Amino acid sequence: MGFTRDELLGYRDRTVADLVGDDCRLLFVGINPGLWTAATGAHFARPGNRFYPALARAGIVDHVIDASTGMSDADRKALLERGVGITNVVARATATAAELTAQELRDGGVRLRERVRAIGPRVVAVAGITAYRSAFGRRDAVTGRQDETWDGAQLWVVPNPSGLNAHETVDSLATAYREAAVAAGVV
């Protein structure tokens, strides 16, 4: 499945449902859905996004999930059975996260905290240090486990898997994701 630029632009401002099961122990949090994600309804779906290869390398899942045409029922089930969930700080889809305003990130942070309270994961892993700093006013935050907890959940900031985050590799992403997954009891 491929999309033209105009087709993708038609998905601007759409939302994508959270992928969260009853036993969510590790909640990954993206910044916001990209247009490809909105078009397919699958988180981190853009071809070349390193999220699923990093999950496989980290041992969180047993194979590389290909969400580029949507999430298969089997792959959705595999994530949920492992206790992995996915949501976003901001719900609306954009071509780039740079289109989000600081206020949208702060408002999204408030909604995310409410969502975490309702889900009750052991670990929340926010994928993107810049978005985390903006959404939660933590200007000096660094990646890794944070000092604070959210309603009993450990808070981690992990690298964003987007290809735009070029200094990260699948291996470095996998290392960060595995640390959070170990803390959550997922691996």
Side-chain angles (χ1 to χ4, degrees):
M1 172 189 301
F3 299 100
T4 66
R5 178 158 174 71
D6 286 341
E7 287 171 332
L8 286 174
L9 289 174
Y11 288 93
R12 185 182 303 278
D13 297 327
R14 299 256 180 112
T15 60
V16 177
D18 291 346
L19 177 69
V20 176
D22 293 335
D23 183 32
C24 181
R25 291 170 280 150
L26 173 58
L27 182 63
F28 280 101
V29 181
I31 300 167
N32 75 308
L35 299 179
W36 198 286
T37 286
T40 62
H43 295 273
F44 300 106
R46 184 166 189 79
N49 188 296
R50 299 164 301 169
F51 182 72
Y52 297 109
L55 289 187
R57 185 85 43 95
I60 296 169
V61 294
D62 64 4
H63 67 282
V64 176
I65 293 171
D66 179 2
S68 65
T69 60
M71 180 76 65
S72 74
D73 290 341
D75 287 338
R76 183 177 294 106
K77 182 179 177 186
L79 287 166
L80 296 177
E81 285 180 349
R82 292 294 295 199
V84 175
I86 306 172
T87 190
N88 290 290
V89 175
V90 175
R92 78 177 183 99
T94 59
T96 69
E99 296 175 39
L100 301 174
T101 67
Q103 188 61 51
E104 277 183 291
L105 287 167
R106 287 189 298 273
D107 291 346
V110 170
R111 282 189 300 277
L112 175 61
R113 292 292 304 268
E114 293 167 358
R115 190 74 177 118
V116 167
R117 191 172 301 115
I119 295 168
R122 291 182 192 165
V123 171
V124 175
V126 179
I129 188 68
T130 303
Y132 174 76
R133 288 172 178 162
S134 297
F136 301 102
R138 305 284 194 252
R139 302 286 178 232
D140 296 329
V142 296
T143 57
R145 185 173 176 185
Q146 305 302 298
D147 290 336
E148 66 182 305
T149 60
W150 289 356
D151 297 293
Q154 289 182 18
L155 177 61
W156 291 68
V157 177
V158 297
N160 187 310
S162 167
L164 297 175
N165 194 8
H167 67 278
E168 295 291 345
T169 66
V170 170
D171 286 335
S172 65
L173 293 168
T175 297
Y177 297 175
R178 183 170 178 82
E179 290 175 348
V182 167
V186 170
V187 294

